[in-house]
Short mmCIF file of all heavy atoms in Angstrom, two decimals:
data_model
loop_
_atom_site.label_atom_id
_atom_site.label_comp_id
_atom_site.label_asym_id
_atom_site.label_seq_id
_atom_site.Cartn_x
_atom_site.Cartn_y
_atom_site.Cartn_z
N PHE A 79 -3.63 -1.21 -5.71
CA PHE A 79 -3.76 -2.62 -5.36
C PHE A 79 -5.24 -2.92 -5.10
O PHE A 79 -5.85 -2.30 -4.22
CB PHE A 79 -2.95 -2.95 -4.10
CG PHE A 79 -1.48 -2.68 -4.25
CD1 PHE A 79 -0.91 -1.55 -3.68
CD2 PHE A 79 -0.67 -3.53 -4.98
CE1 PHE A 79 0.43 -1.28 -3.82
CE2 PHE A 79 0.69 -3.27 -5.12
CZ PHE A 79 1.24 -2.14 -4.54
N HIS A 80 -5.80 -3.85 -5.88
CA HIS A 80 -7.17 -4.26 -5.62
C HIS A 80 -7.14 -5.44 -4.66
O HIS A 80 -6.64 -6.52 -5.00
CB HIS A 80 -7.91 -4.63 -6.90
CG HIS A 80 -9.36 -4.88 -6.65
ND1 HIS A 80 -10.28 -3.85 -6.53
CD2 HIS A 80 -10.06 -6.03 -6.45
CE1 HIS A 80 -11.47 -4.35 -6.27
NE2 HIS A 80 -11.36 -5.68 -6.21
N VAL A 81 -7.69 -5.23 -3.47
CA VAL A 81 -7.71 -6.26 -2.43
C VAL A 81 -9.11 -6.88 -2.45
O VAL A 81 -10.09 -6.25 -2.03
CB VAL A 81 -7.40 -5.66 -1.05
CG1 VAL A 81 -7.36 -6.76 0.01
CG2 VAL A 81 -6.08 -4.90 -1.08
N PRO A 82 -9.24 -8.12 -2.93
CA PRO A 82 -10.56 -8.66 -3.30
C PRO A 82 -11.27 -9.42 -2.19
O PRO A 82 -11.88 -10.46 -2.44
CB PRO A 82 -10.21 -9.60 -4.45
CG PRO A 82 -8.88 -10.16 -4.03
CD PRO A 82 -8.16 -9.03 -3.34
N PHE A 83 -11.19 -8.93 -0.97
CA PHE A 83 -11.79 -9.65 0.14
C PHE A 83 -12.79 -8.77 0.89
O PHE A 83 -12.55 -7.57 1.09
CB PHE A 83 -10.72 -10.11 1.14
CG PHE A 83 -9.62 -10.90 0.50
CD1 PHE A 83 -8.33 -10.39 0.46
CD2 PHE A 83 -9.86 -12.14 -0.06
CE1 PHE A 83 -7.30 -11.09 -0.13
CE2 PHE A 83 -8.84 -12.85 -0.67
CZ PHE A 83 -7.55 -12.34 -0.70
N CYS A 84 -13.89 -9.37 1.31
CA CYS A 84 -14.87 -8.70 2.16
C CYS A 84 -15.35 -9.67 3.22
O CYS A 84 -15.46 -10.88 2.96
CB CYS A 84 -16.07 -8.21 1.35
SG CYS A 84 -15.75 -6.75 0.34
N ALA A 85 -15.62 -9.15 4.42
CA ALA A 85 -16.22 -9.99 5.44
C ALA A 85 -17.65 -10.34 5.04
O ALA A 85 -18.17 -11.42 5.34
CB ALA A 85 -16.20 -9.27 6.79
N LYS A 86 -18.29 -9.38 4.32
CA LYS A 86 -19.66 -9.58 3.86
C LYS A 86 -19.86 -8.69 2.64
O LYS A 86 -19.48 -7.53 2.65
CB LYS A 86 -20.65 -9.19 4.97
CG LYS A 86 -22.10 -9.20 4.56
CD LYS A 86 -22.96 -8.62 5.68
CE LYS A 86 -24.40 -8.42 5.22
NZ LYS A 86 -25.20 -7.73 6.25
N LYS A 87 -20.47 -9.23 1.61
CA LYS A 87 -20.70 -8.47 0.38
C LYS A 87 -21.86 -7.51 0.58
O LYS A 87 -22.95 -7.90 0.97
CB LYS A 87 -21.01 -9.42 -0.78
CG LYS A 87 -21.16 -8.74 -2.13
CD LYS A 87 -19.82 -8.37 -2.71
CE LYS A 87 -19.93 -7.90 -4.15
NZ LYS A 87 -18.63 -7.55 -4.74
N CYS A 88 -21.62 -6.22 0.31
CA CYS A 88 -22.69 -5.23 0.42
C CYS A 88 -23.67 -5.41 -0.74
O CYS A 88 -23.26 -5.68 -1.88
CB CYS A 88 -22.12 -3.81 0.41
SG CYS A 88 -21.18 -3.40 1.90
N ALA A 89 -24.95 -5.24 -0.45
CA ALA A 89 -26.00 -5.54 -1.41
C ALA A 89 -25.99 -4.62 -2.62
O ALA A 89 -26.54 -4.95 -3.66
CB ALA A 89 -27.37 -5.47 -0.73
N TYR A 90 -25.33 -3.45 -2.50
CA TYR A 90 -25.31 -2.48 -3.59
C TYR A 90 -24.02 -2.51 -4.39
O TYR A 90 -23.88 -1.83 -5.40
CB TYR A 90 -25.50 -1.06 -3.04
CG TYR A 90 -24.53 -0.71 -1.94
CD1 TYR A 90 -23.25 -0.26 -2.22
CD2 TYR A 90 -24.88 -0.86 -0.60
CE1 TYR A 90 -22.34 0.02 -1.22
CE2 TYR A 90 -23.98 -0.57 0.42
CZ TYR A 90 -22.73 -0.13 0.11
OH TYR A 90 -21.83 0.15 1.11
N CYS A 91 -23.05 -3.30 -3.97
CA CYS A 91 -21.69 -3.22 -4.52
C CYS A 91 -21.50 -4.15 -5.72
O CYS A 91 -21.83 -5.35 -5.65
CB CYS A 91 -20.67 -3.57 -3.44
SG CYS A 91 -18.96 -3.49 -4.01
N SER A 92 -20.94 -3.59 -6.80
CA SER A 92 -20.65 -4.39 -7.99
C SER A 92 -19.15 -4.59 -8.20
O SER A 92 -18.74 -5.21 -9.19
CB SER A 92 -21.24 -3.72 -9.23
OG SER A 92 -20.66 -2.45 -9.44
N PHE A 93 -18.32 -4.09 -7.28
CA PHE A 93 -16.88 -4.29 -7.41
C PHE A 93 -16.53 -5.75 -7.14
O PHE A 93 -17.20 -6.42 -6.34
CB PHE A 93 -16.11 -3.39 -6.44
CG PHE A 93 -16.18 -1.93 -6.79
CD1 PHE A 93 -16.73 -1.02 -5.91
CD2 PHE A 93 -15.71 -1.47 -7.99
CE1 PHE A 93 -16.81 0.32 -6.22
CE2 PHE A 93 -15.78 -0.12 -8.33
CZ PHE A 93 -16.33 0.77 -7.43
N TYR A 94 -15.47 -6.22 -7.77
CA TYR A 94 -15.10 -7.62 -7.61
C TYR A 94 -14.56 -7.87 -6.20
O TYR A 94 -13.64 -7.20 -5.73
CB TYR A 94 -14.03 -8.01 -8.64
CG TYR A 94 -13.58 -9.44 -8.46
CD1 TYR A 94 -14.37 -10.49 -8.90
CD2 TYR A 94 -12.39 -9.74 -7.81
CE1 TYR A 94 -13.99 -11.81 -8.71
CE2 TYR A 94 -11.99 -11.05 -7.62
CZ TYR A 94 -12.79 -12.08 -8.07
OH TYR A 94 -12.42 -13.39 -7.87
N SER A 95 -15.14 -8.86 -5.53
CA SER A 95 -14.64 -9.28 -4.21
C SER A 95 -15.22 -10.64 -3.88
O SER A 95 -16.20 -11.08 -4.48
CB SER A 95 -15.01 -8.27 -3.12
OG SER A 95 -16.41 -8.24 -2.91
N GLY A 96 -14.58 -11.29 -2.90
CA GLY A 96 -15.05 -12.59 -2.43
C GLY A 96 -14.83 -12.70 -0.93
O GLY A 96 -14.35 -11.76 -0.28
N ALA A 97 -15.14 -13.84 -0.39
CA ALA A 97 -15.03 -14.04 1.06
C ALA A 97 -13.57 -14.04 1.50
O ALA A 97 -12.68 -14.51 0.78
CB ALA A 97 -15.69 -15.36 1.45
N TYR A 98 -13.35 -13.51 2.69
CA TYR A 98 -12.00 -13.44 3.25
C TYR A 98 -11.64 -14.77 3.91
O TYR A 98 -12.46 -15.39 4.60
CB TYR A 98 -11.92 -12.32 4.29
CG TYR A 98 -10.63 -12.34 5.09
CD1 TYR A 98 -9.49 -11.73 4.59
CD2 TYR A 98 -10.55 -12.99 6.32
CE1 TYR A 98 -8.29 -11.76 5.30
CE2 TYR A 98 -9.36 -13.02 7.03
CZ TYR A 98 -8.23 -12.41 6.52
OH TYR A 98 -7.06 -12.44 7.22
N SER A 99 -10.41 -15.21 3.68
CA SER A 99 -9.82 -16.29 4.49
C SER A 99 -8.36 -15.96 4.70
O SER A 99 -7.72 -15.38 3.81
CB SER A 99 -9.98 -17.66 3.81
OG SER A 99 -8.98 -17.86 2.84
N GLY A 100 -7.83 -16.31 5.86
CA GLY A 100 -6.45 -15.96 6.18
C GLY A 100 -5.46 -16.55 5.20
O GLY A 100 -4.51 -15.87 4.78
N ARG A 101 -5.65 -17.81 4.80
CA ARG A 101 -4.72 -18.47 3.88
C ARG A 101 -4.76 -17.80 2.50
O ARG A 101 -3.70 -17.52 1.89
CB ARG A 101 -5.07 -19.95 3.76
CG ARG A 101 -4.26 -20.71 2.72
CD ARG A 101 -2.75 -20.64 3.04
NE ARG A 101 -1.96 -21.27 2.00
CZ ARG A 101 -1.64 -22.58 2.00
NH1 ARG A 101 -2.09 -23.37 2.95
NH2 ARG A 101 -0.89 -23.07 1.04
N THR A 102 -5.96 -17.54 2.01
CA THR A 102 -6.08 -16.92 0.70
C THR A 102 -5.48 -15.51 0.70
O THR A 102 -4.85 -15.09 -0.27
CB THR A 102 -7.56 -16.87 0.26
OG1 THR A 102 -8.11 -18.18 0.32
CG2 THR A 102 -7.69 -16.34 -1.16
N ALA A 103 -5.68 -14.79 1.80
CA ALA A 103 -5.14 -13.44 1.89
C ALA A 103 -3.62 -13.45 1.80
O ALA A 103 -3.01 -12.61 1.12
CB ALA A 103 -5.60 -12.77 3.18
N GLN A 104 -2.98 -14.41 2.47
CA GLN A 104 -1.52 -14.48 2.41
C GLN A 104 -1.05 -14.90 1.02
O GLN A 104 -0.04 -14.37 0.52
CB GLN A 104 -0.98 -15.45 3.46
CG GLN A 104 0.54 -15.43 3.58
CD GLN A 104 1.10 -14.03 3.84
OE1 GLN A 104 0.66 -13.33 4.75
NE2 GLN A 104 2.06 -13.60 3.01
N ASP A 105 -1.77 -15.80 0.38
CA ASP A 105 -1.43 -16.17 -0.99
C ASP A 105 -1.58 -14.97 -1.92
O ASP A 105 -0.79 -14.79 -2.86
CB ASP A 105 -2.34 -17.31 -1.46
CG ASP A 105 -2.02 -18.64 -0.78
OD1 ASP A 105 -0.91 -18.76 -0.21
OD2 ASP A 105 -2.87 -19.54 -0.81
#
């Protein structure tokens, strides 16, 4: 399972992710 949320994007990371929100996480 790819969980695409981060509290903050690491400067070295190229994996797909975006900002966390409670509503989006439940969706």
